[in-house]
Amino acid sequence: MLAKLAFVVYAVFVLGGGCLAVGAHSLVRALVGLICSLLGVAGMYMLLAAPFMAFMQILIYVGAVCVLVFFAVMLTRADAGGEEAGARKPVKAFLSSLAFISPVFILGLVIVNFQPASKAIPVEVPLAELGQGLLGDYTLAFELISVVLLAAMAGAVLLTFEKRGGHSA
Amino acid sequence: MIYQLIALSLLGIGLYGLVWRKSLVGMLISVELMLNGAGLSIVAASQLTEADGASGQIATLFVMGLAAAEATLVLAIIIVVAKRFKSTETDAVSRLKG
């Protein structure tokens, strides 16, 4: 009973935050909506008996990615009277509704019609097993992720690097 | 199943925002929403069925790492675009004046 109530609360967080994130005119408000949505997803991870995933969600997404997006908001002129304000063409509304409806309709039909047998109570995976998976079976992917992160950060630094005396790189 | 529907609507909301938003930062926010839907879907699928729970969570960890890398790069690209075009609006940038 309590789990169902918590699920409804988290679902409201996720969907309401998502709607705020795409609908708000001010990008800072959109960012607040994104954070709400991410926290709701973290709560759903808790309900799915994956507390480590919930902590990682809060650490990586809310802690790191949202701060990055906030830097992007601050470093560009993305305030309330900025680029998101103003009217859009009606054809854009049609296209974006189409982008929402078509995958949700098709995949939703598939999900509702072909449900696998699901467990009522999820089992928590012990943390040691996760660590063994990361450093045992999936070592190559784990190391590749670090290489990708390093390349991304080096690329970011290079992209924003300004030549002394010259124009921006 | 209901978790999958929530994840699916996150994907839909993200796609909607990707088309609807006019600035690059808004599109970045939408992409983050879609990646979250993917993570939620993977964890729900691995925890609620007979599949291996550990590999699902590891896959979601990889998705999070990739999302962090992608956000870093997109931030750098946004800064370069903002410097060069004085704007991050996609309509202004898509004119391809060097």
Side-chain angles (χ1 to χ4, degrees):
Chain A
M1 180 61 207
L2 207 59
K4 274 181 187 156
L5 190 68
F7 180 82
V8 170
V9 170
Y10 291 142
V12 167
F13 259 74
V14 169
L15 297 181
C19 290
L20 187 63
V22 297
H25 275 299
S26 148
L27 275 177
V28 181
R29 271 184 209 155
L31 193 58
V32 171
L34 179 68
I35 292 174
C36 271
S37 187
L38 298 179
L39 288 176
V41 172
M44 287 198 174
Y45 285 154
M46 290 297 255
L47 284 183
L48 284 167
F52 180 66
M53 297 309 300
F55 296 144
M56 278 297 130
Q57 169 90 4
I58 292 175
L59 262 178
I60 297 178
Y61 270 118
V62 184
V65 171
C66 280
V67 170
L68 267 181
V69 177
F70 194 69
F71 268 105
V73 170
M74 282 197 304
L75 289 174
T76 62
R77 296 170 304 128
D79 48 354
E83 287 138 1
E84 286 292 335
R88 293 160 172 81
K89 290 175 196 145
V91 66
K92 203 165 184 187
F94 172 72
L95 280 180
S96 38
S97 326
L98 195 70
F100 175 73
I101 289 168
S102 48
V104 168
F105 184 72
I106 296 168
L107 290 177
L109 215 62
V110 171
I111 287 174
V112 171
N113 283 336
F114 303 95
Q115 308 176 29
S118 65
K119 289 189 273 191
I121 298 168
V123 185
E124 189 179 339
V125 177
L127 202 53
E129 202 175 313
L130 274 185
Q132 263 167 2
L134 274 179
L135 291 178
D137 293 344
Y138 302 104
T139 316
L140 183 64
F142 185 66
E143 297 295 337
L144 274 181
I145 283 284
S146 6
V147 173
V148 166
L149 265 174
L150 179 71
M153 283 178 193
V157 171
L158 267 180
L159 270 177
T160 50
F161 186 70
E162 252 181 293
K163 279 189 206 128
R164 212 178 300 161
H167 58 281
S168 61
Chain B
M1 179 193 95
I2 195 141
Y3 286 99
Q4 299 291 351
L5 286 180
I6 295 276
L8 182 59
S9 37
L10 267 182
L11 168 75
I13 290 172
L15 274 173
Y16 178 87
L18 201 60
V19 181
W20 177 249
R21 279 289 185 200
K22 283 203 288 188
S23 69
L24 293 176
V25 183
M27 293 167 85
L28 173 62
I29 289 176
S30 309
V31 171
E32 296 299 334
L33 277 180
M34 287 162 65
L35 285 169
N36 257 279
L40 182 61
S41 170
I42 296 172
V43 170
S46 70
Q47 290 288 98
L48 291 178
T49 60
E50 297 299 323
D52 184 16
S55 61
Q57 296 193 21
I58 289 169
T60 307
L61 282 177
F62 287 154
V63 170
M64 282 182 190
L66 281 180
E70 166 258 328
T72 319
L73 263 186
V74 171
L75 170 67
I77 292 171
I78 285 174
I79 290 174
V80 171
V81 167
K83 261 187 208 160
R84 200 170 274 187
F85 291 89
K86 308 280 180 255
S87 155
T88 57
E89 207 172 320
T90 46
D91 287 344
V93 176
S94 66
R95 266 181 230 136
L96 282 181
K97 294 187 293 186

